[in-house]
Amino acid sequence: METRHPGPLADVVAPVTAGWRLVFVPSRARELAVALGGSVLVPPMIAAPFLLAALVAAVVSGNSFFWGGFWVLLVLTVGAVILLAAAMVYAAVSMTVRWVEFRPLGTPAQVVIARFLRSSTMAMTDLRRVVVVERLSLGQRQSIKVVLHTGSETVECEPATSAPLSRVDAQALTGWLTEQLVGVQVGVERQTEVKRDFLRPDEWWTPSRTAELWRVPVGEVDGIAARRGVETYGYTPRAAAMYSPGTSVTVYDPGRAYEVAEELRAERAAGRAADGPAAPGPAEDDATESR
């Protein structure tokens, strides 16, 4: 028996004795370390400026009141670290799905969902549908997950940040799931969620950046945006508000701007294909016939 599934899913799908296993979290230790690392670092980073200010005030003044305030802040920071670490570990242990198995091979009759410390088994007849959800922002993947819909609950299976499954092609994953579940009449869908709520104006694009994406001169950006329905926003930057109050900057909605870039790229490709090799002229036709 092969130890891995051939093709693009080789690192995330493997046959086991009971069936096929789809792996979301390859290492429990690494996932716990990531959870603990974030919980240990975040509170001190937030509290560091306050702790430093309280410490300087206590050292300079020598007042017991300031020293008391410093120790109170330190105790609160340590308490926040402990509480956040406990919450992160609990969430990882109780909610994170490590792998899913379809048993047995061929025509699966059971689905096994393994978490960190326990696993649960349900009959395939309880599984209503499976959805592969891919989140995109400007054509770049932000996350991917597999959602199992049963008659009574929804189980979301997300890969670890560095897990191989986080990098696989969504279409390939959808196709593999369809192959496994088509015999038991469980539908598999693929959904794409595109980020469109970019903060205006901070995340909206300047004319120069938009022109670079569209591969056009900056002077043509306004006209293309108007013709293709790209929303714009004019504002006065804070830096110019005091010295040049009349200075206005126009920025463009990144979501629609990216779609226009794809449209322009397709149109240029179609134009190059239409041009193709030049058709032979009359002189060339005559020469061909004479030969």
Side-chain angles (χ1 to χ4, degrees):
M1 177 182 293
E2 295 178 348
T3 58
R4 292 285 178 186
H5 181 278
L9 301 180
D11 294 329
V12 299
V13 172
V16 292
T17 304
W20 282 105
R21 175 178 295 182
L22 180 62
V23 180
F24 295 91
V25 180
S27 171
R28 281 184 289 190
R30 179 180 298 177
E31 188 69 6
L32 287 175
V34 170
L36 284 173
S39 62
V40 169
L41 292 177
V42 171
M45 290 177 62
I46 297 175
F50 304 101
L51 286 170
L52 182 60
L55 179 60
V56 170
V59 171
V60 171
S61 66
N63 191 309
S64 59
F65 173 79
F66 288 101
W67 278 110
F70 168 75
W71 289 113
V72 168
L73 284 175
L74 184 61
V75 170
L76 290 175
T77 302
V78 174
V81 169
I82 295 173
L83 289 176
L84 185 57
M88 294 288 286
V89 171
Y90 174 78
V93 170
S94 62
M95 300 176 61
T96 302
V97 175
R98 291 177 53 220
W99 46 259
V100 172
E101 281 184 5
F102 301 109
R103 303 177 177 176
L105 290 171
T107 305
Q110 293 180 326
V111 181
V112 180
I113 303 171
R115 293 181 171 83
F116 268 67
L117 300 178
R118 61 186 178 86
S119 62
S120 58
T121 303
M122 67 176 175
M124 187 63 70
T125 53
D126 293 334
L127 185 62
R128 298 290 185 265
R129 64 190 179 105
V130 178
V131 182
V132 177
V133 181
E134 186 178 31
R135 295 187 68 248
L136 303 176
S137 177
L138 300 179
Q140 301 297 317
R141 175 188 290 175
Q142 303 300 306
S143 66
I144 188 172
K145 63 182 177 181
V146 177
V147 184
L148 308 179
H149 294 268
T150 70
S152 59
E153 63 176 336
T154 299
V155 181
E156 296 189 356
C157 312
E158 295 192 54
T161 304
S162 58
L165 187 57
S166 64
R167 302 184 295 272
V168 304
D169 180 69
Q171 188 60 49
L173 179 59
T174 304
W176 180 82
L177 287 167
T178 301
E179 291 177 4
Q180 303 308 308
L181 301 176
V182 65
V184 291
Q185 298 181 344
V186 174
V188 179
E189 305 172 17
R190 178 187 172 192
Q191 295 180 0
T192 301
E193 298 177 356
V194 181
K195 178 185 177 182
R196 298 186 182 277
D197 54 339
F198 296 94
L199 296 178
R200 180 176 61 181
D202 299 332
E203 292 183 337
W204 281 36
W205 285 356
T206 61
S208 58
R209 184 176 180 184
T210 307
E212 181 181 359
L213 179 72
W214 291 351
R215 298 182 180 179
V216 298
V218 176
E220 297 182 12
V221 169
D222 278 339
I224 295 175
R227 289 193 300 271
R228 298 186 179 251
V230 180
E231 186 178 355
T232 61
Y233 178 72
Y235 76 107
T236 301
R238 293 190 184 93
M242 182 178 295
Y243 305 103
S244 304
T247 301
S248 179
V249 175
T250 300
V251 288
Y252 302 84
D253 174 23
R256 177 59 186 148
Y258 180 82
E259 292 176 349
V260 170
E262 295 297 311
E263 293 171 4
L264 292 173
R265 185 179 297 112
E267 291 171 7
R268 289 170 187 144
R272 287 192 296 269
D275 292 340
E284 293 175 332
D285 289 342
D286 294 340
T288 302
E289 291 175 0
S290 64
R291 286 195 297 268

